[in-house]
Amino acid sequence: MKITIDITLPEDFYTLLSIYQIKPDVFVQYLANQISFPVFYSHPTGSNRWATYFFLDFLESEESEYEVNEELEAKYLKVFKRAIGYNFDQTTDEFTKSEQAGREIMNQWLKAVLAERTRYITDNL
C-alpha cells in the first residue's frame, strides 16, 4: 500500500538526518519495513527487532487513544506466539516457515478485527 503522509519533523530528528544526508522518506520507509511481528518472534536474538520494539512502546504509551479489541488481541497474540514457537523449534536454520506462519495468523487476526468492526457498525443501524 502506498500513502502520502504529512508530518512535522522534530529538530533533533531533522538535524540527524541532515548530518547523515538521509532523506526523511527513505528513513521512514526503512523503519516501516522493519516493523514485523513475524520477524520479531521468529528471530528472538536478531538485531532487526528494534523497530518492532519501537512499535510496541508506541502501543504501550498510546493504546488508550485507539480502539483495540483486547479479547481478540489476547487471543491472536497467544495463537501467534504458540505457532511461532512451534515453527521456530522445527526450523532452527531457516526462519521462513516461522515468518510465513506468523503472517497467516496476522491475516486471520486482521479478518477477525474487520469482522468485529463491521458487526459493531451494522448492529447500530
Side-chain angles (χ1 to χ4, degrees):
M1 171 187 356
K2 188 169 185 161
I3 64 168
T4 301
I5 59 174
D6 183 28
I7 59 174
T8 302
L9 300 178
E11 180 182 353
D12 293 347
F13 181 64
Y14 182 77
T15 301
L16 279 171
L17 292 179
S18 296
I19 289 169
Y20 288 97
Q21 299 179 15
I22 300 169
K23 293 180 181 179
D25 58 320
V26 171
F27 183 82
V28 172
Q29 183 65 61
Y30 179 82
L31 177 67
N33 291 345
Q34 298 297 313
I35 298 173
S36 168
F37 276 3
V39 171
F40 182 82
Y41 287 107
S42 295
H43 303 269
T45 59
S47 63
N48 57 346
R49 297 164 44 101
W50 293 109
T52 306
Y53 276 124
F54 179 78
F55 179 79
L56 292 170
D57 181 64
F58 174 82
L59 285 180
E60 186 175 311
S61 62
E62 302 290 332
E63 189 168 19
S64 63
E65 298 294 319
Y66 301 94
E67 292 184 30
V68 176
N69 183 320
E70 292 177 5
E71 289 178 24
L72 281 177
E73 179 184 42
K75 173 187 172 182
Y76 280 95
L77 282 177
K78 185 176 180 180
V79 169
F80 190 84
K81 289 177 185 179
R82 188 175 29 214
I84 291 292
Y86 171 78
N87 287 320
F88 181 70
D89 290 341
Q90 299 300 314
T91 58
T92 54
D93 291 332
E94 83 175 282
F95 302 106
T96 305
K97 183 177 177 183
S98 182
E99 289 177 19
Q100 186 56 38
R103 286 188 182 92
E104 290 172 14
I105 293 166
M106 294 294 291
N107 286 331
Q108 292 170 10
W109 184 4
L110 177 59
K111 286 178 185 177
V113 166
L114 294 175
E116 180 66 22
R117 289 178 187 161
T118 302
R119 187 185 64 75
Y120 174 77
I121 291 169
T122 57
D123 285 354
N124 291 325
L125 290 178

